Amino acid sequence: MAPFHAHFKNINGDDTYPLDEIIYRSKVDNSLLEVHHDRTALASRSPEEWKKLFAERRMSFKPADMSGIWSKREMVLPEIPEEDIVTMQEGFSPLFDASRLAKELGIRKLHVKLCGNSHTGSFKDLGMTVLVSQVNHILKKGKHPIDAVACASTGDTSAALSAYCAKAGIPSIVFLPAGKTSTAQLIQPISNGSIVLALDTDFDGCMKIVQQVTADNRIYLANSMNSLRVEGQKTISPEICQQLNWNVPDTIIIPGGNLGNVSALAKGFDDCLAMGLINKKPRIIVAQAANANPFYQAYQRGFDKLEPVQAKKTLASAIQIGNPVSYPKAERAIKNYNGVVVEVSEQELADAAHRADKIGLYCCPHTGVALGALEKLIADKTISSDEEVVVISTAHGLKFTEFKVAYHEGSLEGLTSRYANPIFKAPAELGAVMDILKKEMAARR
Ligand SMILES: *Cc1c(COP(=O)(O)O)cnc(C)c1O
């Protein structure tokens, strides 16, 4: 018998299901499921042994070891055969030292965890490698027939699903809200050969359809309601600690939409604590766009219950979600991690993203939401000057070229571009060029 074991478990009950069953919600009360690990088995290895093993794998060229997710496979999917894993060496993303911004903002330390530095350009790869690997495993065992894997997406989930399925040779289907994704996000699943449907609705509308399409289990559901994805995404937490030499930051800020990723972050820290890898909890802060803020509103009401909203248009299009599926898990995460929920305006997110670009980052609008929250929380002293903070950057800025061009052109509707950097047009003559250089270099001194 394998020394380590995991199964699905109801978050509100005791019913459990094997990981190779096709199931997304409890059969007892329809609650969300989570992957429940045998933590006693995990704790049977000492923290020092785990840390040594993780460090050794960092030097290995074995496919599973080169992935940030699968290098921690005992705490992800302990029983999957390594040959069934579908990996693109995801994870092990940089923890960017943003000390110049920390100094400007007046805090001790700031790091930006660049989860978008990944094959398809967002953190969605971290969860998708786990989900597609498990589907691959189920197919190889011939236990259940699966014709295709499908998701509803605000853009990044579909790109990740499409790429991992293409690598494994599994058909994929993606539902996108028409006209609400960036060009890069739309072209990714098209390139990787998915069946791409652009529906005349928003994300929440796509989510309803995909649940109907996947109801008979012939088409497998890849949304974050599927708790396998959380297992990959949760490795962000041990990875941050590992990168900080197994120290725990004081505060972590993460942008939230469907709220799967904040749930994952908290679960990652739960596991690290249970394994003795860390002995302190960070504070977890969720940042939402004010235009799509059902979680912020619920927090303001003391988490009485989720009141779904009609999400309004936001530059942070990946979190334009009014009815977040992982609400119960995210509520638990905020309560267990001394958390706060913050909302950020369009002006604040756009400025925060481009302010951070000035120290060498290249931020997507969602990272701007988290950075905007950071500025607000420093201003109101919720975050104090002696803290070490990690901001989770969820996607690569290169996926959001339209946003960045419009900001620097000053053409974002209703917004001003405080950190715009204009292009200087000049004839190819030394005099004209030197005039501009003298003026601009003086201005930047
Ligand atoms: C999916 C996504 C989010 C939101 O993550 P949730 O798990 O839905 O809260 C934030 N930023 C980007 C870039 C994303 O793709």
Side-chain angles (χ1 to χ4, degrees), residues 284-303:
I284 294 181
I285 293 176
V286 169
Q288 287 212 297
N291 281 353
N293 65 353
F295 192 54
Y296 173 74
Q297 289 187 24
Y299 167 77
Q300 290 281 311
R301 294 189 307 266
F303 286 126

Side-chain angles (χ1 to χ4, degrees), residues 122-124 156 255-261 318-319 321 364 366 394-395:
S122 87
F123 78 83
K124 298 297 199 293
D156 291 328
N258 223 6
L259 304 174
N261 212 22
I319 56 175
I321 294 175
C364 78
H366 321 85
T394 47

Side-chain angles (χ1 to χ4, degrees), residues 63-70 73 76-77 80-91 118-119 124-140 149 160-170 232:
D65 291 347
M66 285 195 287
S67 157
I69 285 66
W70 298 108
R73 48 194 173 269
V76 176
L77 288 186
I80 193 168
E82 275 178 48
E83 63 272 18
D84 291 354
I85 291 175
V86 183
T87 176
M88 301 194 197
Q89 298 177 27
E90 54 291 309
S118 186
H119 185 76
K124 298 297 199 293
D125 290 353
L126 309 179
M128 211 52 85
T129 181
V130 177
L131 182 140
V132 174
S133 295
Q134 183 64 9
V135 170
N136 191 39
H137 176 58
I138 292 172
L139 283 170
K140 279 200 179 171
V149 185
L161 177 67
S162 183
Y164 281 88
C165 281
K167 184 160 192 281
I170 299 169

